[in-house]
Amino acid sequence: MSTILEPQSATPGSGTNVTTVDLRSDTVTKPTPEMRRAMFEAEVGDDVYSEDPTINRLEQRAAEIFGREAAIFVPSGTMGNSIAIKIHTRQGQEVICEERSHVFNYEMAMMAHFSGCMPRPIFAPDGILTWAEVKKKIAPKIYYRAQTGLICLENTNNMAGGSVYPTEIVEEICDRAHEAGLPVHLDGARVFNAATALGRDVADITRKFDSVMFCLSKGLGAPVGSLLVGSRAFVDMARVYRKSLGGGMRQAGILAAAGLIALEKHTTRLKEDHDNAQFLAAGLAQIPGIKIDPKKVATNILVFDISGTGMNSTEFTQRLTKRQVICGGVTPETVRMVTHMDVGRAACAAALEAVRAICSASAKA
Ligand SMILES: Cc1ncc(COP(=O)(O)O)c(C=O)c1O
């Protein structure tokens, strides 16, 4: 297995400087003035009693947009995925996922801690699993082998460079898994980016999953929150587990008000982030020592190889930070940049200039 480090900037927190180009993640966006106004004016109630009208509206809109019976607001994507895994599995089972997936690497082992399950990771080129690979890892139905309980896909696949699942591949995995009696959950933290790249809508590309988690707090720009969507029975159960994890919030409509703007107004602007990622990829590909194939950059995430620059990812990111550009190392040889609504084309051009400068200084040293 390849080494995967937590994506980290050289100096976390330095993104607060206004001149800084923060390409660490699409989670760093600040709420827009429209969101702040909506939060200020939000109609609220106690959501544990299901009495927050703004939360209720957000959940209803999410269910409508995904063509599902119901949805539930959760404070984070991690909580949404953890709840879904708990509902779909029993203790002692295995969960098939991609090797670089968030549920495997970055969710604090909640799959084991909360659900009592073990991940069964599979490495897939570009992070895209196929049924041919998945089926090899489904445990045989013998009593002395831990049984597969769930398949979890991630679309877009974050650490594989924001790659997008072709819908035919997703649907084959879902259909064959269902024939084998297995549910399939989607970690769709960035599913709207996937839909934008495919030119299809989210309901269409996710219709065969048993449940979907998507984040408002990534490319859509909300300050907090994710949703889990699925059947009424699934969401009723999710409400129970959300409460047991301490996720029963009270006047959370303040958060949902920003979330509604993210959901209704920010999904159509993601192409701008994808175009900026293409611009960065094309520029990076020209810099000696950096390896990236712009054709493989499908959304707003770039993971590129810097091993030819003479720097490791820590040195690379530290030197960039000194030039007010922050991004994170993924492995010692690879770096990730993520475009989002708070970095425009000029900021991306400045970031490229800074990368050129540190690489040419390193080549001369
Ligand atoms: C693919 C993916 N899934 C889930 C999450 C978890 O979201 P949160 O940070 O809201 O817990 C993230 C966060 O970066 C992610 O990238």
Side-chain angles (χ1 to χ4, degrees), residues 215-279:
C215 295
L216 299 166
S217 58
K218 308 267 173 334
L220 304 186
V224 178
S226 295
L227 283 111
L228 254 181
V229 298
S231 67
R232 168 63 56 198
F234 172 86
V235 168
D236 286 348
M237 208 56 226
R239 209 166 290 282
V240 174
Y241 287 125
R242 183 185 69 172
K243 189 72 175 72
S244 64
L245 286 172
M249 295 176 285
R250 303 296 175 172
Q251 285 71 36
I254 285 184
L255 305 177
L260 272 162
I261 290 168
L263 189 59
E264 304 286 11
K265 299 197 173 172
H266 291 175
T267 58
T268 50
R269 59 153 306 286
L270 293 173
K271 173 140 192 334
E272 214 179 294
D273 299 341
H274 298 186
D275 291 345
N276 283 334
Q278 268 305 318
F279 170 78

Side-chain angles (χ1 to χ4, degrees), residues 76-78 81 102 107 154 158 187 189-190 213 215 217-218:
S76 68
T78 300
N81 283 333
H102 202 274
E107 299 199 350
E154 184 175 310
N158 178 357
D187 174 350
R190 296 181 181 80
M213 185 286 291
C215 295
S217 58
K218 308 267 173 334

Side-chain angles (χ1 to χ4, degrees), residues 34-43 254 257:
E34 186 185 14
M35 284 176 168
R36 289 178 189 270
R37 238 180 349 263
M39 293 170 84
F40 181 71
E41 289 166 1
E43 219 189 317
I254 285 184

Side-chain angles (χ1 to χ4, degrees), residues 86-242:
K86 178 77 179 166
I87 293 172
H88 290 305
T89 59
R90 292 199 316 273
Q91 283 200 337
Q93 291 188 322
E94 295 185 352
V95 176
I96 292 178
C97 53
E98 206 275 325
E99 191 183 299
R100 286 160 285 183
S101 65
H102 202 274
V103 291
F104 177 40
N105 296 291
Y106 304 111
E107 299 199 350
M108 312 303 291
M110 275 296 273
M111 192 187 287
H113 185 180
F114 185 54
S115 299
C117 289
M118 202 170 78
R120 176 65 65 187
I122 307 173
F123 180 84
D126 300 324
I128 304 300
L129 290 171
T130 59
W131 175 249
E133 293 307 313
V134 168
K135 82 171 174 204
K136 289 187 212 157
K137 298 290 179 184
I138 295 175
K141 294 228 172 295
I142 333 175
Y143 82 90
Y144 52 82
R145 290 286 301 272
Q147 293 297 289
T148 305
L150 175 69
I151 296 163
C152 182
L153 306 185
E154 184 175 310
N155 196 14
T156 66
N157 188 320
N158 178 357
M159 286 300 162
S163 54
V164 178
Y165 270 89
T167 306
E168 312 75 68
I169 290 184
V170 163
E171 299 206 336
E172 189 187 14
I173 293 175
C174 291
D175 286 342
R176 299 287 90 78
H178 291 153
E179 283 162 21
L182 291 172
V184 190
H185 169 69
L186 176 66
D187 174 350
R190 296 181 181 80
V191 71
F192 284 95
N193 295 87
T196 300
L198 292 168
R200 297 171 75 160
D201 64 47
V202 286
D204 184 26
I205 67 169
T206 62
R207 68 195 177 115
K208 298 225 171 183
F209 286 97
D210 297 273
S211 53
V212 180
M213 185 286 291
F214 74 93
C215 295
L216 299 166
S217 58
K218 308 267 173 334
L220 304 186
V224 178
S226 295
L227 283 111
L228 254 181
V229 298
S231 67
R232 168 63 56 198
F234 172 86
V235 168
D236 286 348
M237 208 56 226
R239 209 166 290 282
V240 174
Y241 287 125
R242 183 185 69 172

Side-chain angles (χ1 to χ4, degrees), residues 9-25 28 30 317 320-327 338 340 342-344 346-348 350-351 354:
S9 73
T11 49
S14 46
T16 49
N17 182 333
V18 286
T19 61
T20 297
V21 181
D22 192 342
L23 294 165
R24 283 173 298 173
S25 175
V28 302
K30 306 277 167 55
T317 56
L320 267 189
T321 300
K322 291 202 183 109
R323 291 175 182 268
Q324 271 74 50
V325 175
I326 49 178
C327 57
V338 186
H340 52 78
D342 287 359
V343 288
C348 292

